[in-house]
Amino acid sequence: MNLSLPDQSMHSSADDEDKPEVLLPCFRRNMYEESLPSTPYSSSSIISQLLRKTLPAKRPMDEGHYFLCSADSGQEDRSSVSSKDSMAEAPSPNVSTGASVEGEPPISDHLQAKRARVENIIRVMAGSPINRPHGDGEKSELEGRDGRDGRDGRDAYRETNKRKQRLPQHQEHSLDAGRRSGRNDNSKDEECHRLKEQLHSMQRLLRQLQEKFLQVYNQEDADDEMNLDESAAGSEEDFERKNGRVVEECKDRVKIGYARESLEDALKQELSRAVTECVARVFRKIPLVGMSTPPRMCSSPDIGMEGKPTSQEAAQSSEIPIKSRSFDYYEDPHSPQDQTEALSLVVRKPVVTPLNAPSVKRPFPVHQAPFQFNYTAPLHDSQILEHLLKYGPHSSFLPCMPTTTALDRSSPDAVELPWDAIAMRSKVTSAHLGHHPRPSALGPDNLCLPHVKLECAELQGMAERNPYMSLNIQEGLTPSHLKKAKLMFFYTRYPSSNVLKTYFPDVKFNRCITSQLIKWFSNFREFYYIQMEKFARQAIVDGVGDVKDISVSRDSELFRALNMHYNKANDFHVPERFLEIAEITLHEFYNAISASKDSDPSWKKAIYKVICKLDSEVPDEFKTSSYL
DNA sequence: TACATTCCTG
DNA sequence: CAGGAATGTA
């Protein structure tokens, strides 16, 4: 049945990743990184990726374009554009950098001048022409290298990106040489240098945290496990191997202390904050390099601004040998592999690590300890960045909590721990729209871990000043999401999947999640219309002769029934408009039944059609927090 | 064929 | 509220 809904393009633009993703924590990934040789994403620091994104962003066919588009989408529906959509909507390689894509208004002269300046800088820095003619320059070079020509632009585009990941080292070096030739702007270099030093400083802090964590981690294991002998052997070489083994043994244990979990949580939070802080700094600093105007993270012509520090970073890559990457994940943004990363910050998927992977073992099966490692997903760095880029710096996030929908429904005890805290806080704040729950309930402050707290003090401070706070992307829908959805129903009865994505920014959408949300609203409607029909028939039975005698107020039985269903806690002020719409719906039912239209099996469709046009926009407050 | 929606059921 | 059947749409 098609109600010709105006915004009902519920095509499944969600990511197709239905399969559960077992994510390694961003920190843990450090320890096992060497076990992931085939996952290029896993071996590149988020920071370096971000920085490296800049240079290729000047190429017409590069995805730097939708990197920006996504970043722009905080207040737009484009925020819901999924990775695949992005790919699908990627501009053809023929689109020149200057062309505004996706129907943007023409770029102002000011912006064009700005872009020209930036491009000039980048051109000098990179030592390579920007707007090469199509089929010329790097593309044809790359095509030629693989001996594959004659494919259409989009294929070539993908092919190029694929190949970029395998770009041989000598190409990087030749790029470096080109960049080095462009050192004609000392102040900019200094700026970049300062930025780089800040990054390194951050990375040192991260490393300290990691080491601290491992200390505690090992200590606990020494207590728990019988392999004290191996602990004693803790030389540097054995360090990782030992940890891997211990963790693997832990896999079989069902009972895990919450302290460790919390500690990991805290550290992960801090690490991700630090990373986002770095990102924030990059965004803040870079404009100062070449521009006099504030940054526009979301403007594709301006992306080139980031080329500067990138080239600086990259310039060093030739000077720094590839080293052991065990603990250098965040510390070494110079690895050539990183540089060859296809810059898919937005589109990239988190590292999927099968439980039975031979060399990468998760400490504990997820199903054994429901809220033990599900929390890893929300803090995956790529998701942090993705969210950051998609929703901007002011989007909020939820603290870690169990995520699978199965948990929500079938294991009440799994909801015990983080949940109560969330629910309680939600309750407190829910009465005030726009007052969002403070993030990071599981931060060090709540953990009674003074050592961690001290170590994290600096990062914590930065995080608190940092608008780019950590983000938790939910893998599944939680009761909070359900509650939020119900409240949204007061505004929209027929939300499109895009709207849903916009208003659930902390949810990692896939086909399943999208369907579930849609199903929720379908259920909401069902209840709504059942009530309407019931009360309309009741009115007729009661002898109400005129529609005008039927009204819906907050005192109405009908309203009370609806409010009980969608706003059970009654902590939300139902908008007046909803009462009007309810009244209209009731009238529709009354009229239809009075006219005996209900003999037609599809008599309700006409009513649905009317009602779906009455959807109004959900307030922005709903966008920013997973629960108000 | 895939998806959205309603309807029915538990 | 979810699952599934039925139905409609593209």
Side-chain angles (χ1 to χ4, degrees):
Chain A
M1 172 186 65
N2 185 4
L3 295 178
S4 310
L5 308 184
D7 196 17
Q8 282 298 91
S9 56
M10 291 197 181
H11 69 291
S12 171
S13 62
D15 305 332
D16 287 334
E17 49 238 35
D18 271 342
K19 42 186 179 293
E21 289 176 355
V22 185
L23 302 175
L24 292 170
C26 55
F27 169 42
R28 185 179 305 275
R29 191 175 50 197
N30 247 350
M31 298 196 266
Y32 305 112
E33 188 179 335
E34 286 169 347
S35 308
L36 298 167
S38 60
T39 54
Y41 298 148
S42 72
S43 60
S44 57
S45 137
I46 204 170
I47 299 164
S48 58
Q49 283 179 35
L50 181 75
L51 293 175
R52 300 234 159 73
K53 183 179 282 298
T54 60
L55 186 85
K58 295 314 295 177
R59 299 187 195 120
M61 341 195 304
D62 202 88
E63 62 213 76
H65 156 65
Y66 45 85
F67 157 72
L68 292 165
C69 290
S70 295
D72 187 24
S73 54
Q75 299 303 316
E76 304 173 15
D77 247 9
R78 283 217 305 260
S79 62
S80 60
V81 171
S82 71
S83 320
K84 290 209 167 158
D85 288 344
S86 296
M87 288 300 287
E89 293 161 12
S92 103
N94 292 329
V95 178
S96 85
T97 356
S100 77
V101 283
E102 296 190 327
E104 285 177 13
I107 306 165
S108 69
D109 290 342
H110 168 70
L111 283 179
Q112 285 186 345
K114 192 201 279 184
R115 191 179 64 233
R117 268 184 295 157
V118 174
E119 286 175 348
N120 189 46
I121 291 168
I122 301 305
R123 189 183 298 113
V124 172
M125 296 293 293
S128 61
I130 296 173
N131 289 316
R132 292 171 176 161
H134 178 54
D136 192 9
E138 180 179 280
K139 176 174 177 291
S140 59
E141 181 188 350
L142 289 167
E143 295 287 333
R145 289 170 56 85
D146 278 9
R148 297 181 202 167
D149 288 308
R151 62 188 69 235
D152 72 271
R154 194 158 293 184
D155 277 352
Y157 165 81
R158 292 200 199 96
E159 208 45 50
T160 302
N161 278 337
K162 270 188 219 159
R163 256 175 265 124
K164 272 162 71 179
Q165 298 178 18
R166 307 183 241 117
L167 213 55
Q169 222 172 307
H170 72 266
Q171 283 203 2
E172 306 301 323
H173 288 199
S174 67
L175 284 175
D176 291 339
R179 285 185 206 106
R180 267 193 282 274
S181 70
R183 304 210 174 177
N184 55 358
D185 192 330
N186 288 334
S187 66
K188 289 166 189 163
D189 281 354
E190 286 167 14
E191 188 68 26
C192 290
H193 190 68
R194 275 201 301 277
L195 176 60
K196 202 173 65 188
E197 283 179 344
Q198 285 173 343
L199 287 174
H200 281 282
S201 157
M202 296 293 298
Q203 288 155 358
R204 272 195 301 277
L205 282 165
L206 288 173
R207 180 170 168 151
Q208 286 172 13
L209 280 171
Q210 291 170 348
E211 287 168 349
K212 196 73 189 175
F213 167 73
L214 283 171
Q215 241 179 309
V216 179
Y217 196 90
N218 279 338
Q219 197 174 340
E220 285 192 23
D221 277 324
D223 294 342
D224 293 346
E225 305 290 330
M226 305 157 292
N227 47 359
L228 290 169
D229 48 338
E230 291 175 358
S231 295
S235 67
E236 277 291 322
E237 298 81 34
D238 292 337
F239 192 64
E240 274 185 70
R241 193 158 48 87
K242 174 175 153 297
N243 272 288
R245 190 165 53 246
V246 169
V247 164
E248 187 176 340
E249 285 161 2
C250 287
K251 188 176 133 186
D252 297 328
R253 298 186 306 178
V254 176
K255 182 189 166 198
I256 307 299
Y258 283 119
R260 179 183 302 173
E261 173 194 347
S262 302
L263 180 57
E264 288 174 347
D265 251 320
L267 282 160
K268 277 165 44 52
Q269 292 238 0
E270 294 313 316
L271 290 172
S272 63
R273 281 183 199 173
V275 170
T276 48
E277 167 69 14
C278 286
V279 173
R281 286 182 180 215
V282 170
F283 282 131
R284 284 198 299 263
K285 287 277 181 181
I286 282 160
L288 302 175
V289 174
M291 316 298 291
S292 53
T293 48
R296 274 187 59 208
M297 284 174 56
C298 340
S299 140
S300 62
D302 287 350
I303 186 60
M305 292 188 293
E306 295 169 43
K308 186 76 193 227
T310 300
S311 58
Q312 288 291 310
E313 294 280 354
Q316 289 209 349
S317 66
S318 60
E319 303 158 16
I320 299 180
I322 309 169
K323 36 181 175 174
S324 163
R325 301 171 61 82
S326 59
F327 265 85
D328 295 332
Y329 182 81
Y330 286 107
E331 176 154 311
D332 179 14
H334 309 289
S335 145
Q337 286 101 315
D338 289 350
Q339 179 115 21
T340 60
E341 154 65 19
L343 307 171
S344 46
L345 266 177
V346 173
V347 301
R348 93 189 220 201
K349 286 175 62 175
V351 177
V352 177
T353 309
L355 284 174
N356 58 355
S359 50
V360 183
K361 305 275 176 123
R362 294 172 58 74
F364 320 100
V366 171
H367 65 270
Q368 284 185 2
F371 30 86
Q372 202 123 45
F373 283 97
N374 285 345
Y375 70 89
T376 61
L379 280 172
H380 194 279
D381 50 12
S382 71
Q383 292 175 313
I384 293 165
L385 254 192
E386 178 175 348
H387 189 101
L388 175 65
L389 297 174
K390 277 170 89 173
Y391 304 108
H394 303 298
S395 55
S396 67
F397 66 104
L398 259 190
C400 305
M401 61 173 68
T403 52
T404 64
T405 38
L407 279 179
D408 296 340
R409 295 195 294 272
S410 58
S411 356
D413 34 338
V415 181
E416 269 174 24
L417 254 180
W419 249 116
D420 289 350
I422 312 306
M424 292 300 287
R425 219 186 37 252
S426 296
K427 226 166 189 168
V428 173
T429 54
S430 61
H432 310 285
L433 287 184
H435 182 194
H436 309 312
R438 202 170 144 53
S440 185
L442 296 177
D445 287 25
N446 304 13
L447 293 177
C448 304
L449 297 169
H451 53 294
V452 174
K453 194 172 175 179
L454 282 175
E455 297 286 327
C456 296
E458 187 174 347
L459 293 176
Q460 178 99 29
M462 287 189 300
E464 278 167 4
R465 294 189 302 271
N466 179 13
Y468 298 82
M469 283 295 282
S470 310
L471 304 150
N472 267 343
I473 309 294
Q474 293 287 298
E475 197 75 33
L477 293 170
T478 67
S480 280
H481 294 124
L482 175 59
K483 188 167 184 180
K484 178 176 173 175
K486 284 180 170 180
L487 297 185
M488 284 175 63
F489 186 80
F490 286 126
Y491 299 92
T492 173
R493 267 62 55 190
Y494 295 87
S496 70
S497 55
N498 277 341
V499 165
L500 293 176
K501 285 171 188 166
T502 305
Y503 282 88
F504 291 91
D506 60 338
V507 172
K508 187 177 188 302
F509 275 83
N510 55 38
R511 212 183 287 146
C512 188
I513 297 295
T514 308
S515 304
Q516 191 184 1
L517 262 172
I518 288 174
K519 177 73 178 177
W520 280 0
F521 276 86
S522 178
N523 286 332
F524 300 162
R525 285 193 297 270
E526 187 176 14
F527 179 83
Y528 177 83
Y529 288 127
I530 286 173
Q531 296 303 310
M532 293 298 166
E533 182 178 357
K534 192 173 92 181
F535 279 84
R537 292 191 185 278
Q538 188 62 46
I540 292 172
V541 167
D542 289 348
V544 176
D546 193 342
V547 214
K548 289 167 186 167
D549 295 332
I550 301 176
S551 68
V552 176
S553 72
R554 294 179 194 271
D555 301 328
S556 307
E557 283 283 321
L558 175 58
F559 176 79
R560 283 167 56 188
L562 296 172
N563 192 54
M564 184 61 74
H565 191 73
Y566 307 116
N567 182 26
K568 197 162 193 165
N570 201 28
D571 51 4
F572 179 79
H573 183 74
V574 178
E576 202 66 29
R577 178 64 180 157
F578 178 77
L579 293 170
E580 299 171 16
I581 291 170
E583 191 169 302
I584 293 170
T585 315
L586 191 55
H587 289 176
E588 289 289 329
F589 270 92
Y590 175 92
N591 288 334
I593 296 168
S594 300
S596 298
K597 288 180 182 171
D598 54 340
S599 55
D600 178 357
S602 57
W603 64 284
K604 292 178 187 173
K605 284 183 186 175
I607 301 176
Y608 299 156
K609 205 167 182 173
V610 170
I611 302 308
C612 82
K613 288 177 183 167
L614 301 177
D615 272 10
S616 45
E617 201 156 304
V618 184
D620 279 351
E621 284 86 357
F622 284 79
K623 284 181 184 171
T624 47
S625 58
S626 81
Y627 180 63
L628 306 173

